[in-house]
């Protein structure tokens, strides 16, 4: 792209030079000078400003080959706009466009989460050490997924990227949207790696993450951060490979990454008449 742009600029500058109104000493160098003046950029708080072109308008008053020099300066302004406005906007649009990846299943008990994640990671070219910021799945007692979505961040000091990943049970596809967040991604460096979370979820199986009594539906949520929890009234378990063991009160506080499971009954109309409730009736935390 840069080579093509350079060739186009050279052709345009030669064309402008050939259209000069009159002979002038070192006009070729002056044409180039006016171009760079028009293209000169000054950044204020990372906002690019066409300072060179403003100086051209306010200070420079050519008396010979006026049209030629004006054209050169305006070409510089066009170059400024291309580099700082048009190209970044096109690049952002292309980068953030939604992309789809086919899922293995629409049933929570049958999904191979690690395999799905690797497909997404490879097709979208996400860093293999990307951090999982949030995960949430709503599903029925038979495992049928109603809604599933999660967010991951590829952490970098300069080019961190935030990925919004939504699963559609209707199309059996994940839709991925990306957004560059730069240095803000550093704050997620302590979050668990997405690959580790999905490895744990596959090994233990969501079917085995259950409550003492069955419910019509479930919500499984994961917040990504390492926590310490000393609440003795909230039931807790620890995941050890394929085993799930209870955490007793004398083992508190519990530390680790926590998967929160909520059981829900049948939806019912709110007494106020404003919508339907499907509230959590029982919950449990699973640590790993």
């Amino acid at each position: 792209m840069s080579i093509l742009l350079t060739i186009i600029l050279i052709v345009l500058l030669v064309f402008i030079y050939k259209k000069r109104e009159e002979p002038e000493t070192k006009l070729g160098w002056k044409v180039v000078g006016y171009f760079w003046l028009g293209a000169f950029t000054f950044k204020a708080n990372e906002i690019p400003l066409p300072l060179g072109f403003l100086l051209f308008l306010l200070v420079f008053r050519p008396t010979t080959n006026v049209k030629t020099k004006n054209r050169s300066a305006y070409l510089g302004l066009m170059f400024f706009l291309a580099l700082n406005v048009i190209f970044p906007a096109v690049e952002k649009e292309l980068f953030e466009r939604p992309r789809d990846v086919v899922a293995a299943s629409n049933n929570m008990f049958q999904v191979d989460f690690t395999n799905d994640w690797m497909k997404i990671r490879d097709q979208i070219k996400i860093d293999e050490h990307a951090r999982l910021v949030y995960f949430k799945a709503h599903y029925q007692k038979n495992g049928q997924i109603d809604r599933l979505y999660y967010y991951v961040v590829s952490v970098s000091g300069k080019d961190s990227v935030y990925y919004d990943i939504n699963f559609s049970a209707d199309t059996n596809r994940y839709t991925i949207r990306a957004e560059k967040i730069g240095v803000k991604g550093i704050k997620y460096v302590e979050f668990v790696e997405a690959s580790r979370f999905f490895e744990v979820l596959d090994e233990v199986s969501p079917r085995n993450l259950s409550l003492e009594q069955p419910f019509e539906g479930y919500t499984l949520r994961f917040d990504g951060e390492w926590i310490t929890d000393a609440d003795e009234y909230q039931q807790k378990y620890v995941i050890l490979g394929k085993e799930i063991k209870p955490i007793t009160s004398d083992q508190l506080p519990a530390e680790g990454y926590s998967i929160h499971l909520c059981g829900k009954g049948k939806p019912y109309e709110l007494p106020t008449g404003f919508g339907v409730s499907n509230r959590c009736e029982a919950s449990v935390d699973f640590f790993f």
Side-chain angles (χ1 to χ4, degrees), residues 4-46:
L4 178 61
L5 183 60
T6 301
I7 293 172
I8 292 172
L9 285 174
I10 291 172
V11 170
L12 289 173
L13 287 171
V14 170
F15 177 79
I16 289 171
Y17 175 77
K18 287 186 174 181
K19 289 291 183 178
R20 61 191 181 278
E21 299 101 284
E22 57 187 286
E24 183 178 342
T25 305
K26 297 182 180 179
L27 179 60
W29 291 111
K30 292 175 184 177
V31 166
V32 174
Y34 273 94
F35 165 77
W36 284 117
L37 179 64
F40 181 76
T41 304
F42 176 77
K43 286 192 175 182
N45 294 324
E46 296 304 313

Side-chain angles (χ1 to χ4, degrees), residues 3 6 15 32 34 66 147 167 200 222 235 245 269:
I3 296 174
T6 301
F15 177 79
V32 174
Y34 273 94
V66 176
R147 191 181 178 200
F167 172 78
V200 170
F222 181 73
Q235 190 175 13
K245 294 186 176 181
E269 291 285 343

Side-chain angles (χ1 to χ4, degrees), residues 45-263:
N45 294 324
E46 296 304 313
I47 299 175
L49 301 172
L51 181 61
F53 187 75
L54 293 175
L55 288 173
F56 165 74
L57 293 177
L58 296 173
V59 179
F60 289 81
R61 294 289 187 272
T63 56
T64 58
N65 285 300
V66 176
K67 288 184 179 179
T68 299
K69 293 168 184 175
N70 284 348
R71 288 167 181 163
S72 298
Y74 276 98
L75 180 61
L77 177 63
M78 290 173 62
F79 182 73
F80 164 84
L81 292 173
L83 286 186
N84 296 285
V85 180
I86 299 172
F87 289 171
V90 172
E91 181 185 23
K92 185 174 185 292
E93 184 67 25
L94 291 174
F95 184 80
E96 295 182 357
R97 74 190 188 281
R99 284 164 286 181
D100 289 347
V101 174
V102 177
S105 172
N106 60 7
N107 189 290
M108 194 72 176
F109 303 151
Q110 297 172 8
V111 175
D112 186 332
F113 285 99
T114 299
N115 184 63
D116 278 6
W117 164 241
M118 289 178 66
K119 282 173 63 178
I120 292 170
R121 193 185 69 193
D122 293 345
Q123 289 188 39
I124 310 300
K125 302 191 185 311
I126 303 174
D127 174 35
E128 63 177 325
H129 300 295
R131 309 289 170 161
L132 182 63
V133 177
Y134 189 73
F135 177 97
K136 196 168 191 178
H138 301 280
Y139 54 99
Q140 300 169 25
K141 61 182 178 182
N142 62 359
Q144 180 68 36
I145 297 172
D146 294 322
R147 191 181 178 200
L148 186 153
Y149 58 95
Y150 57 95
Y151 313 127
V152 300
V153 173
S154 62
V155 179
S156 165
K158 182 180 178 182
D159 297 316
S160 294
V161 181
Y162 183 92
Y163 296 92
D164 181 330
I165 302 170
N166 272 272
F167 172 78
S168 170
D170 294 332
T171 62
N172 209 42
R173 291 174 179 270
Y174 295 95
T175 298
I176 302 96
R177 291 176 172 84
E179 178 187 359
K180 290 183 179 180
I181 59 173
V183 294
K184 290 190 291 185
I186 293 297
K187 67 182 181 181
Y188 298 111
V189 72
E190 299 300 328
F191 282 60
V192 70
E193 289 190 8
S195 57
R196 173 57 182 157
F197 171 75
F198 292 125
E199 177 188 351
V200 170
L201 199 58
D202 282 337
E203 189 168 20
V204 72
S205 178
R207 186 189 297 276
N208 297 321
L209 299 179
S210 59
L211 295 158
E212 291 182 353
Q213 66 183 87
F215 288 90
E216 292 296 317
Y218 297 89
T219 295
L220 188 149
R221 191 190 79 234
F222 181 73
D223 294 329
E225 294 183 276
W226 182 278
I227 66 169
T228 300
D229 188 352
D231 182 5
E232 61 184 41
Y233 299 104
Q234 175 66 39
Q235 190 175 13
K236 299 175 182 63
Y237 293 89
V238 61
I239 298 172
L240 300 170
K242 295 183 179 181
E243 289 188 85
I244 300 174
K245 294 186 176 181
I247 297 175
T248 58
S249 58
D250 61 309
Q251 294 175 310
L252 296 176
E255 286 190 82
Y257 298 108
S258 173
I259 299 172
H260 183 77
L261 182 69
C262 165

